[in-house]
């Protein structure tokens, strides 16, 4: 991977990444990582150069979720690393396999006041599965292999390696041999899992709740097969709204009837009210999780209600057992029909809203529903959903084969970066619709420049209600409308901002405007140009369904 007979640490790093199949690295340049930028020339690895370090991590996150590969972000040390760290939390809560490589002050100057010297490993460690400092060029290849293995095994999640600049610059006599990734385990707790399935099937109203790592497109297809073969409902959860997730309709009604629940890689956390109401007080649980600590935490919350527990990789188990079958059970057939009616429930009034011609501001349902035709047009289409209220509206109204949400983290600002990472994973062709609020738009709007430079087209749909609506709704609910304040935003022409960075822009204030904007933005994407559709909407709270 290098023309030099005496490779540098940077050459060893790039060779290791290449041998692991890395094709794209999301990066922002800086002093400490210039040796890597030099080493990547001729490697076949593409650098997608962004406008903010957090965007690098968000792009790597989305790339990992869509491609099923490890996403790689590369940033410089010190403040560059600090900028990137905030995005690790979103990746961690989404259980996304990301490796963050950060430049670092030289080893030979540590403790002397080196340029941008910072305790980078300590800063990243709480948000990662593992974080460490690379100490020699001879160990860089094994550092990379270890990072990839940790990021992708068990419960996937981010891993960080700091790269001192003198380690990257130092030369070795020869290129080290890359060790292989550890082999996959052949037995993912087969016998124990079958015991869990037998126990689950004995319930009158059994339910499987799956966690975020199982909600990639590939794993959702496996879950669908498992559900069909077992005849037991399987529901994926990935929203901070938890039991009130609008994408899951009247989920609370389902949980109020369930008598046996298998937590399949799903943490027993705030999204499930820690096992309390609306879950039945006599509901019992089984839990399969990659982390013993999660099982122990569930045990403390549930006590004797946790009757089965197994430490294993949920994705491995689902992959191995998705074809497990059971004889039809009439009671379970009726239960599945009830669960399906709850999850798919949407108010009848929505049909009226969709047919209503809006002439000033659009109801969120009217603003979003027409985009479903775009998402239905390709088997690899992507829905990105980000923001407070508007993100929840999008998840309730729209669906797609690939769904990239800001997730359990409840963070906002990642939508544009997510869309670029998804495009990098899929190549051209499949439509990508990224829904966000006007507040969200401001976090990473400069990444439209990245879209233009790297030819990564997508459609951004901005729900513009001129405020931080999630916080406004909290103030109104908790303190009354007269005390709502400091949530206001201007009616900014976000489509013009995007156009200044090279995107196509469209403003929507009426239903007719929206039809034209869908057509023009689709044409722009077909021509390799990103698009921003700024839709003026009513500032409504996200739905909380009750049938």
């Amino acid at each position: 991977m290098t023309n030099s007979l005496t490779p540098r640490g940077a050459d060893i790093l790039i060779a290791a990444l290449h041998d692991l199949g890395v094709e794209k690295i999301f990066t922002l340049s800086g002093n400490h990582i210039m040796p890597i930028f030099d080493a990547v020339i001729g490697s076949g690895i593409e650098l997608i150069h962004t406008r903010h370090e957090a965007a690098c991590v968000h792009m790597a996150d989305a790339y990992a979720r869509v491609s099923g590969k490890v996403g790689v972000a590369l940033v410089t040390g010190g403040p560059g690393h600090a900028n990137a760290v905030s995005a690790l939390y979103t990746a961690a809560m989404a259980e996304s396999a990301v490796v963050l490589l950060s430049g670092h002050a030289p080893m030979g100057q540590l403790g002397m006041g080196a340029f941008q010297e910072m305790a980078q490993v300590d800063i990243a460690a709480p948000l990662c599965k593992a974080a460490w400092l690379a100490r020699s060029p001879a160990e860089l290849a094994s550092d990379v292999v270890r990072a990839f293995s940790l990021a992708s095994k068990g419960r996937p999640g981010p891993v960080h390696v700091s790269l001192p600049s003198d380690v990257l610059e130092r030369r070795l006599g020869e290129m080290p041999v890359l060790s292989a990734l550890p082999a996959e385990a052949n037995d993912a707790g087969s016998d124990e899992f079958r015991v869990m399935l037998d126990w689950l099937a004995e319930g009158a109203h059994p339910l499987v709740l799956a966690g975020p790592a199982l909600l990639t497109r590939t794993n959702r297809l496996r879950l669908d097969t498992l559900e069909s073969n077992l005849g037991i409902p399987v529901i994926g959860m990935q929203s901070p709204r938890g039991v009130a997730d609008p994408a899951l309709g009247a989920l609370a009604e389902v949980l109020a009837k369930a008598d046996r629940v298998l937590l399949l890689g799903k943490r027993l956390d705030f999204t499930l009210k820690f096992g309390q109401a609306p879950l039945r007080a006599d509901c019992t649980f089984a839990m399969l999780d990659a982390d013993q600590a999660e099982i122990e935490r569930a045990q403390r919350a549930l006590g004797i209600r946790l009757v089965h527990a197994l430490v294993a990789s949920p994705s491995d188990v689902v992959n191995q057992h998705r074809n497990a079958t059971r004889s039809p059970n009439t009671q379970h057939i009726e239960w599945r029909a009830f669960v399906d009616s709850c999850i798919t429930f949407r108010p009848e009034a929505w049909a009226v809203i969709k047919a209503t011609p809006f002439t000033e501001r659009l109801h969120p349902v009217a603003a979003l529903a027409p985009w479903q035709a775009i998402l239905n047009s390709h088997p690899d289409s992507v829905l990105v959903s980000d923001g407070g209220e508007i993100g929840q509206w999008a998840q309730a109204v729209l669906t797609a084969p690939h769904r990239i949400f800001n997730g359990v983290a409840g963070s906002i600002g990642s939508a544009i970066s997510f869309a670029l990472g998804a495009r990098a994973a899929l190549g051209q062709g499949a439509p990508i619709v990224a829904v966000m609020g006007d507040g969200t738009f401001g976090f990473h709007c400069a990444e439209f420049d990245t879209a233009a430079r790297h030819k990564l087209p997508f459609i951004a749909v901005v729900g513009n209600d001129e405020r931080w609506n999630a916080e406004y709704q909290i103030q109104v609910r908790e303190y009354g409308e007269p005390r709502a304040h400091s949530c206001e935003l201007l009616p900014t022409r976000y489509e013009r901002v995007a156009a200044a960075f090279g995107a196509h822009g469209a403003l929507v204030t009426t239903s007719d405007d929206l039809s034209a904007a869908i057509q023009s933005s689709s044409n722009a994407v077909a021509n390799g140009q990103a698009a921003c559709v700024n839709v003026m909407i009513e500032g409504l709270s996200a739905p909380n369904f009750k049938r």
Side-chain angles (χ1 to χ4, degrees):
M1 298 307 301
T2 176
N3 294 324
S4 173
L5 297 178
T6 56
R8 300 162 295 180
D11 300 313
I12 294 167
L13 176 77
I14 288 298
L17 293 171
H18 177 272
D19 289 348
L20 286 169
V22 172
E23 298 175 342
K24 301 177 190 297
I25 297 174
F26 303 94
T27 187
L28 201 161
S29 58
N31 291 26
H32 296 109
I33 57 174
M34 287 298 91
I36 302 175
F37 272 53
D38 182 64
V40 80
I41 296 172
S43 69
I45 297 176
E46 179 186 2
L47 297 183
I48 296 180
H49 197 239
T50 73
R51 297 294 301 269
H52 194 281
E53 288 88 357
C56 298
V57 177
H58 288 315
M59 291 181 200
D61 177 359
Y63 181 89
R65 297 196 220 179
V66 170
S67 69
K69 303 176 183 179
V70 175
V72 181
L74 170 66
V75 304
T76 195
H81 171 76
N83 280 345
V85 163
S86 64
L88 291 175
Y89 181 67
T90 299
M93 296 304 288
E95 302 174 7
S96 186
V98 171
V99 170
L100 170 62
L101 303 174
S102 300
H104 191 277
M107 292 282 290
Q109 297 177 10
L110 296 185
M112 300 170 61
F115 175 60
Q116 295 184 341
E117 182 177 350
M118 184 183 290
Q120 295 182 185
V121 172
D122 293 342
I123 292 170
L127 302 175
C128 295
K129 293 181 70 175
W132 67 90
L133 181 70
R135 296 190 173 275
S136 78
E139 297 173 358
L140 274 175
S142 59
D143 283 331
V144 171
V145 171
R146 177 188 172 202
F148 271 54
S149 178
L150 287 171
S152 57
K153 306 304 180 189
R155 169 173 275 112
V159 173
H160 165 65
V161 185
S162 271
L163 306 169
S165 56
D166 52 355
V167 171
L168 295 174
E169 293 165 352
R170 195 179 310 149
R171 293 187 180 274
L172 287 183
E174 60 183 2
M175 187 73 72
V177 176
L178 180 69
S179 58
L181 286 172
E184 296 281 353
N186 292 323
D187 183 3
S190 296
D191 293 339
E192 296 92 334
F193 187 61
R194 281 192 286 268
V195 169
M196 284 185 176
L197 294 181
D198 290 340
W199 167 84
L200 192 65
E202 291 170 0
H205 298 146
L207 191 64
V208 178
L209 297 179
L214 292 174
L215 299 183
T216 63
R217 183 190 183 191
T218 298
N219 278 330
R220 281 192 291 105
L221 291 173
R222 292 169 177 168
L223 288 176
D224 288 346
T225 301
L226 183 68
E227 178 183 61
S228 178
N229 289 336
L230 294 180
I232 294 173
V234 179
I235 299 173
M237 297 186 69
Q238 60 181 333
S239 168
R241 304 289 172 110
V243 299
D245 178 4
L248 298 178
L251 173 63
E253 294 184 33
V254 174
L255 297 179
K257 290 182 178 293
D259 59 352
R260 296 192 179 191
V261 173
L262 168 59
L263 300 175
L264 192 57
K266 173 70 186 84
R267 291 180 168 104
L268 186 77
D269 57 11
F270 72 99
T271 64
L272 280 175
K273 306 291 187 182
F274 310 103
Q276 304 305 309
L279 284 154
R280 287 168 43 171
D282 62 348
C283 178
T284 52
F285 293 81
M287 187 172 188
L288 188 152
D289 202 278
D291 295 336
Q292 177 67 37
E294 290 295 335
I295 291 176
E296 292 173 356
R297 188 171 70 171
Q299 180 73 66
R300 291 193 296 271
L302 296 172
I304 61 172
R305 294 169 65 199
L306 182 62
V307 297
H308 292 286
L310 171 63
V311 178
S313 166
S315 59
D316 288 348
V317 168
V318 169
N319 188 34
Q320 291 185 27
H321 296 278
R322 66 184 184 275
N323 292 320
T325 58
R326 292 194 173 276
S327 300
N329 180 314
T330 302
Q331 188 176 33
H332 290 173
I333 292 172
E334 294 173 352
W335 167 238
R336 282 186 67 193
F338 171 79
V339 172
D340 184 66
S341 69
C342 289
I343 299 302
T344 60
F345 171 77
R346 300 296 184 269
E348 293 181 2
W350 281 20
V352 177
I353 292 170
K354 292 175 185 179
T356 300
F358 289 85
T359 57
E360 291 186 9
R361 285 181 178 271
L362 278 66
H363 188 286
V365 170
L368 295 170
W371 295 101
Q372 188 61 55
I374 301 295
L375 294 170
N376 288 344
S377 67
H378 196 283
D380 269 332
S381 67
V382 180
L383 169 64
V384 176
S385 175
D386 184 17
E389 303 305 287
I390 189 64
Q392 302 303 312
W393 279 109
Q395 292 168 46
V397 174
L398 300 173
T399 190
H402 293 285
R403 307 168 198 171
I404 308 176
F405 302 159
N406 54 346
V408 181
S411 57
I412 68 170
S414 53
I416 296 171
S417 305
F418 277 168
L420 297 182
R423 177 60 72 203
L426 290 174
Q428 306 302 319
I432 298 174
V433 177
V435 180
M436 68 201 75
D438 44 349
T440 292
F441 180 92
F443 280 78
H444 290 298
C445 58
E447 300 306 333
F448 277 105
D449 172 78
T450 305
R453 285 183 288 107
H454 290 279
K455 302 296 189 291
L456 300 171
F458 70 101
I459 300 173
V461 180
V462 182
N464 189 343
D465 54 17
E466 300 178 41
R467 64 190 181 207
W468 299 96
N469 194 31
E471 290 69 28
Y472 172 80
Q473 297 297 337
I474 291 172
Q475 290 179 337
V476 170
R477 183 174 65 251
E478 299 294 330
Y479 316 120
E481 189 167 6
R483 300 185 68 82
H485 66 95
S486 302
C487 295
E488 302 81 11
L489 295 171
L490 295 172
T492 302
R493 297 292 298 272
Y494 297 109
E495 82 285 359
R496 291 181 178 176
V497 176
F501 284 114
H504 167 77
L507 174 67
V508 172
T509 60
T510 71
S511 299
D512 289 342
D513 292 342
L514 181 59
S515 298
I518 290 173
Q519 184 62 55
S520 66
S521 60
S522 298
N523 291 341
V525 167
N527 291 320
Q529 184 183 25
C532 177
V533 180
N534 183 17
V535 188
M536 306 306 293
I537 62 170
E538 299 174 13
L540 303 177
S541 60
N544 187 357
F545 297 121
K546 292 183 176 62
R547 296 193 306 161

